[in-house]
Amino acid sequence: MEGINGWLSFPLYESFNHDFAIRRFCPARVELEQGEWEEAMNYEIDSFSPDDHDTGSTPHLAASEVDDLVDSFINMDDHVDDNDKDDQNSKKEQDFHDFQDGIDFVEFPMMMMEGDDHELERSGSCEDFGAHEMVPSVEEVSHGVDQGLHLVHLLLACAEAVGCRDTQLANSMLTQIWASATPWGDSLQRVSYCFATGLKSRLSLLQNVNGNGTISHCAMDVPLMTRQEKMEAFHLLYQTTPYIAFGFMAANEAIRQAAQGKDSLHIIDLGMDHTLQWPSLIRTLASRPEGAPTLRITGLTSHQSLLELEASMKSLTMDASSLGIALEFNMISEPVTPSLLTRENLNLREGEALFINSITHLHKYVKESRGSLKAILQAIKKLSPALITVVEQDANHNGPFFLGRFLESLHYYSAVFDSLEASLPRHSPQRMKIERLHFAEEIRNIVAYEGSDRIERHERADQWRRQLGRAGFQVMGLKCLSQARMMLSVYGCDGYTLGSEKGCLLLGWKGRPIMLASAWQLHNVSSN
C-alpha cells in the first residue's frame, strides 16, 4: 500500500513540527470533556468501571497520543506474528489443494457487480475520475509523506475541536481536510474522507442543539442509500475479502460440532438480512456420517421488504431437499426485544436442539447502556440454547468519550481500508462501492451520533467475554483454525492474519484484529 504504511516514515515524523499537534487547536478545552456531546444530548452513559471499559479512552489527546497513533500506522507490518505468517505461507499451497479437494465451507462467487457510482460530496464522477490514470508527479511523491502526516494531524485536531464544540475552528479545519481527503486517492486519503464526512455530520447535529440540551431535527447533507445498494456493497465485501466469510465459516463449524448426534435442529438467526451463510452449513449437515438432520431456520428481521429474502429461502429449501435435508424457513419481521425472545413467539418445539446465531448484530443491542444487551442475553438464556454463535468486529468503538472512540475507529478503519487496497485496484468501482455504501456508513454512525441513534457499538473480545459470562454463558473453544487458513488461501492475499485468544478466533490485517468469532454454551453444559 502507498497510503499509511508507505507514506509515513518515522524519521520524517520525528522532525515534524509538534506545534502542529492537537493541543494547539483547542486552547479552551472543556475540562474532562464532561460538557461534551453525551451531556449536550441528554445522553446517559452507563457507568464504566475500570474492569468494564478501556480507561485509555481519554477525554483529550496529548501530543504523545498523536505520536502513538501515527507510529502505529507506520509500524503496522511490525505487528504481524512472524511465526503465524511463516506457518500460513508454508501451508498455503497445501491448504488450497485440500480446500479444492472437498472442504467447502462457504460460497465464493467471484462475479463482480457493475453499476454507476454516485458522487460522495465532491465534484466529478467515478467515470470521469477513472478516465485517466492519476500518476503522481515527482513533486507530489516528494511531498507525499508530509501531506499524509499533515492529514492525520488535521483529522485528530478537528475531532478535538468538535469535542470542544468550537464549530468555527472545526469547520475551518474541515476545509483544509477536504483539500487532501478524497474517495479516489490512496487508503489514507479515502479513510480520511469518510471520517471528515462523519465530523461534518456531527457538526451539523451539534449546531442544532437547543438550549434544553435536545437536538432539533435537521436535514444533513448525507446521500440516501437504498437497501438494494447496501446489499450490493455487502455482497461485494463478501466476495472480495474474507471478513464476512470468516464469520460464516466459524459459526457454521461451531454449529456442526455442537449438532453432532442431534436429529432435529432449530437456528434462530438474529437480524437476518440474507441467506448467504446457510448453503455451506446445509451441505455439511447433509454429509454427516450419522445422517442428515431436520433443520428449521427462523430469521428475525426488522426489514419490511421481505420479498428478496423469501425468494432466497425458497431456493435454499429446494436445494436442501435435493441433498436429503428437510428444511423449514420462517421469518419474524419484528425488532429483536426480550419480549420477542420467548418459546411461544419463536415456536420452539420439544426435541429440537436450539442454536442462536448472531453475525455482527449483538453490538446493536448495547444501545445507550449495557442494560439493553443484558436483557437480550437473559432472554436468550431462558430459551436454553445448545449454542450461541457471536461474530463481531473486534474494536473498541463504544468508549464513553468521543475522542477515544474517534482515535480507536481511525486506527481500525485505516487497517480495513489498507486491506481493501491490497485486494482491489485503487480505482476499482467495486472497492468504491464497498467503502461508500458500507464502511462509510459505519464510520459516520460512530463519529456523528450519540444516544440511541448510535448503533455501531463494536467492542473487543474481552468485553464480550465479560458480558456473556455475566449472563451465564461460557466460551466453547473454536476448533477451526486450519479451516480458516484454507479459506484465507482462496483470497490470495498474504496480509490477513489469524489468531486465537481464550477460545475466540480472530481475523486481522497485518496483525491488527478486525473480526472475532466465538461460540458460547450455558455454564451448566459441558463443552465438547
Side-chain angles (χ1 to χ4, degrees):
M1 157 196 166
E2 295 181 0
I4 294 170
N5 289 327
W7 265 20
L8 304 182
S9 64
F10 188 73
L12 283 171
Y13 173 70
E14 288 288 359
S15 65
F16 195 85
N17 182 0
H18 281 271
D19 287 340
F20 186 67
I22 288 178
R23 305 304 304 156
R24 172 183 174 187
F25 292 105
C26 195
R29 180 70 211 168
V30 178
E31 185 176 357
L32 295 180
E33 205 174 346
Q34 293 301 314
E36 203 247 340
W37 257 79
E38 286 78 7
E39 186 173 294
M41 302 177 68
N42 266 343
Y43 167 49
E44 296 182 1
I45 299 175
D46 192 28
S47 60
F48 297 98
S49 65
D51 181 60
D52 280 342
H53 245 280
D54 181 8
T55 56
S57 296
T58 54
H60 59 81
L61 295 175
S64 62
E65 293 176 280
V66 185
D67 292 359
D68 292 340
L69 173 64
V70 180
D71 184 52
S72 68
F73 289 158
I74 298 163
N75 297 297
M76 186 181 294
D77 290 334
D78 295 342
H79 295 290
V80 178
D81 186 331
D82 292 331
N83 293 330
D84 182 74
K85 184 175 181 179
D86 292 340
D87 185 52
Q88 181 175 346
N89 290 336
S90 66
K91 292 185 177 182
K92 181 175 179 180
E93 183 175 352
Q94 181 62 38
D95 285 346
F96 183 73
H97 178 73
D98 293 342
F99 189 95
Q100 288 181 316
D101 280 346
I103 301 178
D104 189 9
F105 298 105
V106 71
E107 294 282 352
F108 296 103
M110 300 310 295
M111 179 186 68
M112 296 301 176
M113 302 179 186
E114 299 294 341
D116 295 335
D117 286 90
H118 302 290
E119 298 176 346
L120 279 165
E121 284 177 355
R122 301 174 66 87
S123 60
S125 66
C126 293
E127 289 78 11
D128 292 337
F129 183 82
H132 59 280
E133 290 295 326
M134 301 297 290
V135 180
S137 66
V138 174
E139 181 180 3
E140 288 173 330
V141 172
S142 64
H143 291 290
V145 171
D146 293 305
Q147 291 172 350
L149 184 57
H150 183 72
L151 186 54
V152 171
H153 278 276
L154 279 174
L155 276 173
L156 298 179
C158 184
E160 184 154 358
V162 171
C164 293
R165 287 181 276 173
D166 189 339
T167 57
Q168 182 177 359
L169 178 58
N171 279 312
S172 174
M173 296 178 65
L174 273 176
T175 301
Q176 299 180 57
I177 293 172
W178 294 131
S180 300
T182 168
W184 307 300
D186 59 59
S187 62
L188 177 57
Q189 291 174 306
R190 299 196 312 269
V191 77
S192 297
Y193 186 90
C194 293
F195 275 88
T197 302
L199 288 170
K200 179 182 177 182
S201 296
R202 190 176 180 95
L203 278 173
S204 297
L205 290 171
L206 183 61
Q207 290 167 347
N208 285 270
V209 175
N210 298 320
N212 60 2
T214 62
I215 292 183
S216 61
H217 293 287
C218 61
M220 292 193 300
D221 187 16
V222 177
L224 295 178
M225 286 180 288
T226 65
R227 169 175 163 78
Q228 183 178 3
E229 287 179 314
K230 292 180 180 179
M231 289 308 300
E232 179 184 1
F234 182 85
H235 277 75
L236 287 170
L237 179 65
Y238 168 62
Q239 293 164 359
T240 57
T241 76
Y243 295 132
I244 305 301
F246 164 78
F248 291 168
M249 181 278 300
N252 286 347
E253 180 63 14
I255 293 172
R256 183 198 65 80
Q257 293 176 24
Q260 290 179 0
K262 297 177 172 62
D263 297 326
S264 183
L265 315 180
H266 187 184
I267 299 173
I268 306 294
D269 192 9
L270 304 181
M272 176 183 278
D273 283 330
H274 51 76
T275 60
L276 293 174
Q277 179 178 350
W278 306 124
S280 60
L281 177 64
I282 290 171
R283 290 193 296 272
T284 299
L285 294 176
S287 62
R288 294 197 317 180
E290 67 267 37
T294 61
L295 176 62
R296 281 206 300 154
I297 299 177
T298 299
L300 309 185
T301 179
S302 58
H303 292 291
Q304 299 301 315
S305 178
L306 302 178
L307 294 179
E308 182 182 349
L309 266 178
E310 291 173 349
S312 297
M313 290 187 294
K314 182 178 180 180
S315 175
L316 196 57
T317 301
M318 295 175 61
D319 292 341
S321 178
S322 68
L323 294 172
I325 291 184
L327 173 61
E328 178 185 340
F329 252 124
N330 298 289
M331 295 297 299
I332 299 178
S333 182
E334 291 184 33
V336 176
T337 60
S339 60
L340 177 63
L341 298 173
T342 66
R343 301 186 66 86
E344 296 74 22
N345 291 335
L346 300 176
N347 190 26
L348 302 190
R349 300 170 186 171
E350 291 296 329
E352 286 183 329
L354 178 64
F355 300 87
I356 306 296
N357 184 70
S358 174
I359 306 294
T360 63
H361 200 73
L362 271 180
H363 71 268
K364 300 179 186 294
Y365 307 138
V366 176
K367 301 296 184 181
E368 61 271 18
S369 72
R370 297 188 180 279
S372 178
L373 175 62
K374 181 179 179 181
I376 292 290
L377 294 177
Q378 287 176 341
I380 291 175
K381 181 182 178 181
K382 292 179 181 179
L383 300 175
S384 299
L387 190 76
I388 301 179
T389 54
V390 177
V391 175
E392 288 289 346
Q393 292 169 250
D394 188 47
N396 180 19
H397 296 160
N398 194 39
F401 297 111
F402 165 65
L403 281 175
R405 294 197 306 271
F406 187 91
L407 189 67
E408 169 69 16
S409 56
L410 181 57
H411 250 147
Y412 178 88
Y413 286 102
S414 294
V416 171
F417 276 50
D418 186 18
S419 70
L420 290 174
E421 180 146 310
S423 302
L424 293 166
R426 179 167 298 180
H427 306 318
S428 162
Q430 288 80 26
R431 180 194 53 71
M432 293 179 186
K433 287 181 180 180
I434 292 171
E435 293 175 353
R436 175 174 61 88
L437 300 174
H438 185 81
F439 287 117
E441 279 296 284
E442 287 186 359
I443 292 170
R444 188 172 68 88
N445 188 267
I446 294 169
V447 173
Y449 292 105
E450 295 295 350
S452 60
D453 291 328
R454 181 160 60 88
I455 60 173
E456 301 298 344
R457 295 172 176 266
H458 312 125
E459 297 192 312
R460 292 200 178 277
D462 59 348
Q463 198 54 249
W464 288 109
R465 277 192 292 270
R466 290 190 184 99
Q467 297 304 316
L468 284 155
R470 290 169 182 171
F473 295 93
Q474 63 185 8
V475 68
M476 186 192 83
L478 293 175
K479 304 172 184 177
C480 53
L481 193 59
S482 61
Q483 292 97 318
R485 285 196 176 102
M486 295 176 197
M487 184 202 71
L488 289 182
S489 70
V490 173
Y491 290 90
C493 186
D494 293 332
Y496 295 107
T497 53
L498 288 168
S500 181
E501 179 186 332
K502 298 180 181 179
C504 298
L505 193 61
L506 299 174
L507 171 65
W509 175 252
K510 297 180 179 178
R512 168 80 190 194
I514 302 296
M515 301 295 298
L516 70 91
S518 59
W520 304 82
Q521 294 175 317
L522 291 172
H523 272 304
N524 59 354
V525 178
S526 61
S527 173
N528 290 335

